[in-house]
Amino acid sequence: MIIGKDRCGLVYKGILPDKRVVAIKRYKISDQQLDQFINEIIILGQMDHMNMVQLLGCCLETEVPLVVYEFVSNDTLYHHIHNKSSGAGRLSWDSRLRIAHESADALAYLHSDAKMTITHGNVKSPNILLDENYTAKVADIGASGSIPLGHDHSKLTDKSDVYSFGVVLAELLTGLMPIDTKRLEEDTNLATYFMKAKRDDRLLEIVDRQVLENATVEQLKETCDVACRCLDIQAKTGLA
């Protein structure tokens, strides 16, 4: 029943007594982290946005904490962009644009509309899930040390999330992997590759053919501009 694994632990598919299908994550945390983890779960339980994976409950009486989330059935955005062999990698341009908008809306909620400013800290295409209608559901929010609770050592900010969202936009536009060692060494990082193509006025050379065929000139220009503005935050703020 294992359906995923990330930096926090294993994720299982589960079925509740009322037949609801859920995702259950077993978190790997130390005893010293438990109090902060509980605080984060309380915060996450108060958030409500249609484009965020909803937290349904938790159990702290087990050997490791178990947290129950809504089950999102249609895999990750990463899978649908990059897994060409399964035929799943052909998201339409309209779907890509809508998914980008929905994901941005969820991040904006975390940054400004939630009861406290929350930094996601791990924005990437594997953490954007898609439901049966291809609606975006942002996952892996907090409960992993990414919600700042007065700890000055954390360098994560909303600008970190914006930069990472720019990488997701570049993936949606180009269909290229965020890190690919098959590209030239200086082009391994998609963010660097995308920004260099922008400076050299050759973005159209790396944009996915399906996007080129279906996006209007205005849509393409504006979306590329937004991606570049997100990625340019790194240079302006000195983010690592």
Side-chain angles (χ1 to χ4, degrees):
M1 298 297 281
I2 295 175
I3 56 174
K5 180 180 181 180
D6 60 23
R7 58 182 179 169
C8 305
L10 292 172
V11 184
Y12 300 82
K13 181 178 180 180
I15 302 175
L16 300 182
D18 62 4
K19 305 303 182 185
R20 276 187 298 166
V21 179
V22 295
I24 302 173
K25 183 177 287 189
R26 298 179 79 247
Y27 279 90
K28 296 178 181 178
I29 61 172
S30 66
D31 291 340
Q32 291 76 21
Q33 295 172 309
L34 186 58
D35 286 345
Q36 178 167 338
F37 177 85
I38 294 171
N39 286 335
E40 292 178 354
I41 290 298
I42 291 171
I43 293 167
L44 291 171
Q46 295 173 346
M47 296 190 302
D48 184 20
H49 191 283
M50 66 177 296
N51 298 120
M52 289 168 41
V53 174
Q54 295 299 302
L55 186 153
L56 302 177
C58 66
C59 179
L60 302 175
E61 290 84 12
T62 49
E63 182 180 353
V64 295
L66 301 175
V67 182
V68 182
Y69 297 94
E70 69 170 309
F71 180 76
V72 184
S73 61
N74 205 5
D75 221 304
T76 67
L77 178 58
Y78 181 94
H79 175 83
H80 284 275
I81 295 175
H82 302 298
N83 192 351
K84 305 295 193 296
S85 62
S86 70
R90 308 315 302 165
L91 283 172
S92 70
W93 167 244
D94 285 345
S95 292
R96 297 185 200 208
L97 203 57
R98 178 181 48 75
I99 290 166
H101 183 274
E102 291 170 346
S103 302
D105 200 35
L107 292 176
Y109 171 78
L110 290 176
H111 293 167
S112 59
D113 292 336
K115 294 182 179 180
M116 64 173 288
T117 299
I118 294 171
T119 299
H120 185 291
N122 199 23
V123 177
K124 56 184 180 180
S125 56
N127 283 336
I128 298 174
L129 309 183
L130 301 178
D131 70 9
E132 63 276 8
N133 298 315
Y134 288 84
T135 299
K137 299 278 188 175
V138 177
D140 196 28
I141 302 164
S144 57
S146 63
I147 295 180
L149 295 170
H151 293 265
D152 295 334
H153 67 271
S154 175
K155 295 182 179 180
L156 296 173
T157 68
D158 55 354
K159 291 182 175 61
S160 309
D161 285 350
V162 171
Y163 176 81
S164 298
F165 177 70
V167 177
V168 174
L169 275 182
E171 284 181 78
L172 285 166
L173 284 162
T174 65
L176 298 175
M177 301 279 283
I179 300 292
D180 190 347
T181 56
K182 294 179 182 178
R183 294 193 288 263
L184 294 175
E185 184 176 354
E186 64 269 26
D187 297 332
T188 298
N189 186 298
L190 178 57
T192 304
Y193 187 37
F194 193 88
M195 292 295 283
K196 188 171 77 171
K198 169 70 172 178
R199 288 192 300 270
D200 296 343
D201 197 26
R202 58 179 187 83
L203 265 181
L204 294 184
E205 296 177 18
I206 67 171
V207 169
D208 185 281
R209 177 173 295 181
Q210 181 172 322
V211 172
L212 281 176
E213 292 175 353
N214 292 280
T216 66
V217 174
E218 183 179 8
Q219 286 176 332
L220 192 56
K221 178 182 182 303
E222 291 188 0
T223 309
C224 286
D225 284 349
V226 170
C228 288
R229 286 168 60 193
C230 292
L231 296 174
D232 197 39
I233 283 181
Q234 183 183 46
K236 290 180 178 179
T237 61
L239 290 174

